[in-house]
Amino acid sequence: MTTSSVKGFRDILPEEAAGRRAVLATASEMLVAYSYREVELPLLEHGELFARTIGESTDIVEKEMYAFEDRDGSLLALRPEGTASLVRAYIEAGLSRSLPVARLYYQGPMFRRERPQKGRFRQFTQIGAELIGRNDAGADAESISLAADICSAAGVEGFRIEINSLGDQQCRPAYREALVAFGREHIAELCDDCRSRIERNPLRLLDCKVEGCRTLMGAAPMMGDQLCDPCRAHHDSVLEILDASGIEVVARPSMVRGLDYYCRTAFELIADGLGAQDAIGGGGRYDGLVAKLGGPDLAGVGFALGVERMLMAAGSQATDAGPEMLVAPLCAEAAATAASLARRLRQAGRRVEIGSAERRLKAQMKSADKTGVAFVVIIGEQELAGGSATVRDMAAGQDLPACFPLMATGAEAIAAMEGGGRDEA
Ligand code: HAM
């Protein structure tokens, strides 16, 4: 009997690991170019943190959190997202005093108990960036620009940016009422989920996937038509700055996002060809969230990208670089010298694998050929006695005329091998 992995939790095998590392490194570079600094956040938080921020009646909090009671009776949760944790950390560390405008980012696994399907997992990795302390339209535009630039730099092709404004405390309550009225009027045409959403979370009616609801909601009032003047002006400024920066966005008036903390700008990056789970990232403005968690009244805007979906959209072919050299001991007595020499070569910057003294030279050569090794450093009884190794140039298919000294430093050995060998060859 073998024990399998937990449903929705994947192993990242070597073929995928290199591509992921490259995406994360590229993202970090871009984040640093935009002046963001990294924060490493814990995976486990108090459950109430997410109920207070993402919202009690959201799918994430109601159905998808891995929440459990700890031994002391406290309710803990594996983080389903990073914004709430980052804002908590920002307040807890008193950063509002030293960094009233903070650009912070995080990378790491998030957990949601959703139904697994293509591009949707129960453990997935996000790259998230938050800009706290700026309420101007330039901040929203910066966030969108950064998300787009990370995706482009990571090789994600063919994505579009969709945008909407969700209004604020001034204009959203009236819109919410209009939506509730619309829902009540058409209750017979709505699915069961939407019927229960009408009073609890009416905005979610707008992103129901059921065909009947989608058709009906096409005729529903839209937030964009009911924005108050300041929200309208803010949205227009965001669009104007993006346009001036050469960043194309398309309006999606029905976008509401699945987390309650948003106000004004909401955006998603959608990739072609990913199927149903085509959002490679999403974000928006969350003024009021810092205060809600007990901090000062600061604005905020940010986004998170899904690394697995970015990789799917980029079709990454990255692989780890294989060994450049194989040190092949041919007898048990050569094993210690081989290990010591291999270590010196690595210290000189080479990628080096050691063969087994129990395998014949032919077998060791064959695997060197397979892994694309350029040089095989052979150490048998003869080499031990003579104090220098025989080096096989795999591309040339012959031994180098110059051997290298077994006791030399890695750099000396390489110089002897490359310089001496090539000159004479
Ligand atoms: P979100 O839209 O829930 O936003 O997630 C952001 C991205 O994470 C999604 O667009 C998707 O690429 C990826 N993602 C989400 N769930 C899954 C899943 N089950 N499997 C694979 N990938 C997934 C947030 O999490 C917000 N915290 C973003 C934000 C930051 N807003 C402001 N600041």
Side-chain angles (χ1 to χ4, degrees):
M1 271 282 277
T2 54
T3 304
S4 65
S5 60
V6 176
K7 186 176 170 187
F9 288 71
R10 294 178 330 121
D11 301 304
I12 312 295
L13 298 175
E15 292 75 55
E16 199 185 332
R20 283 169 71 88
R21 222 175 34 242
V23 164
L24 294 173
T26 304
S28 292
E29 271 174 38
M30 190 58 74
L31 284 152
V32 169
Y34 271 75
S35 303
Y36 283 66
R37 294 164 72 198
E38 188 168 10
V39 175
E40 214 174 300
L41 300 161
L43 306 195
L44 210 56
E45 297 276 4
H46 290 295
E48 57 149 44
L49 174 69
F50 303 111
R52 282 171 71 190
T53 53
I54 299 170
E56 294 272 10
S57 55
T58 56
D59 283 352
I60 296 179
V61 170
E62 260 187 358
K63 308 181 194 160
E64 298 166 3
M65 270 212 312
Y66 283 94
F68 59 93
E69 204 174 281
D70 198 6
R71 286 165 198 255
D72 63 2
S74 57
L75 185 71
L76 301 180
L78 281 174
R79 61 181 187 186
E81 60 111 45
T83 310
S85 302
L86 185 119
V87 170
R88 179 209 40 77
Y90 176 81
I91 298 168
E92 201 168 331
L95 293 181
S96 59
R97 287 185 294 278
S98 52
L99 284 177
V101 173
R103 289 179 170 83
L104 300 168
Y105 80 93
Y106 49 88
Q107 301 184 328
M110 307 291 160
F111 305 86
R112 295 183 195 175
R113 200 176 191 289
E114 296 187 85
R115 193 169 51 77
Q117 63 180 89
K118 185 180 164 207
R120 188 159 77 187
F121 314 102
R122 292 181 168 180
Q123 176 179 331
F124 55 97
T125 308
Q126 280 189 348
I127 299 165
E130 315 290 355
L131 170 43
I132 298 175
R134 286 261 311 262
N135 59 12
D136 58 297
D140 309 47
E142 172 181 308
S143 197
I144 294 171
S145 163
L146 171 55
D149 283 349
I150 292 175
C151 287
S152 299
V156 179
E157 280 165 13
F159 65 89
R160 64 182 181 278
I161 305 165
E162 297 185 343
I163 192 165
N164 194 22
S165 173
L166 301 177
D168 66 3
Q169 300 307 340
Q170 295 307 311
C171 52
R172 196 156 43 186
Y175 173 66
R176 193 178 186 279
E177 282 315 307
L179 211 51
V180 170
F182 180 86
R184 283 193 195 132
E185 203 179 310
H186 297 276
I187 194 155
E189 298 150 73
L190 291 170
C191 72
D192 288 349
D193 274 351
C194 282
R195 281 183 197 163
S196 74
R197 281 177 189 139
I198 293 179
E199 313 293 335
R200 288 185 308 122
N201 201 349
L203 261 65
R204 299 291 301 178
L205 295 177
L206 287 163
D207 64 4
C208 180
K209 301 280 183 290
V210 176
E211 199 47 49
C213 297
R214 282 169 62 144
T215 314
L216 174 68
M217 293 314 286
M222 290 294 154
M223 184 71 237
D225 300 326
Q226 312 208 10
L227 293 176
C228 58
D229 289 345
C231 283
R232 162 68 43 217
H234 183 90
H235 195 58
D236 289 347
S237 295
V238 175
L239 297 180
E240 193 184 314
I241 298 169
L242 288 171
D243 186 47
S245 315
I247 297 166
E248 243 177 78
V249 293
V250 281
R252 175 151 55 102
S254 65
M255 184 197 303
V256 289
R257 311 258 310 123
L259 307 98
D260 282 356
Y261 49 61
Y262 292 117
C263 64
R264 294 193 166 173
T265 308
F267 61 95
E268 284 185 346
L269 289 85
I270 308 290
D272 296 329
L274 288 193
Q277 302 305 318
D278 58 359
I280 47 175
R285 176 162 281 287
Y286 48 83
D287 303 348
L289 189 64
V290 181
K292 197 168 189 181
L293 287 179
D297 187 14
L298 290 174
V301 60
F303 65 87
L305 300 168
V307 173
E308 290 77 10
R309 293 186 195 171
M310 284 174 74
L311 280 163
M312 284 164 69
S316 163
Q317 301 295 320
T319 50
D320 284 315
E324 298 162 282
M325 302 171 82
L326 172 75
V327 177
L330 298 187
C331 55
E333 296 72 42
T337 308
S340 148
L341 177 62
R343 185 154 184 253
R344 276 175 276 139
L345 290 167
R346 291 184 196 115
Q347 283 163 349
R350 299 296 155 131
R351 298 188 303 276
V352 184
E353 186 177 310
I354 307 183
S356 161
E358 285 171 19
R359 296 181 74 202
R360 289 147 63 109
L361 179 60
K362 205 167 159 199
Q364 297 202 48
M365 288 297 213
K366 218 166 154 188
S367 54
D369 209 35
K370 245 190 188 158
T371 48
V373 156
F375 295 102
V376 179
V377 180
I378 300 161
I379 312 175
E381 281 168 11
Q382 213 180 309
E383 284 79 12
L384 280 178
S388 62
T390 303
V391 181
R392 172 70 58 92
D393 180 338
M394 296 299 280
Q398 58 188 36
D399 294 347
L400 294 183
C403 299
F404 68 63
L406 290 175
M407 299 319 291
T409 64
E412 284 162 359
I414 288 162
M417 180 179 75
E418 289 185 341
R422 287 221 178 99
D423 286 351
E424 291 174 49

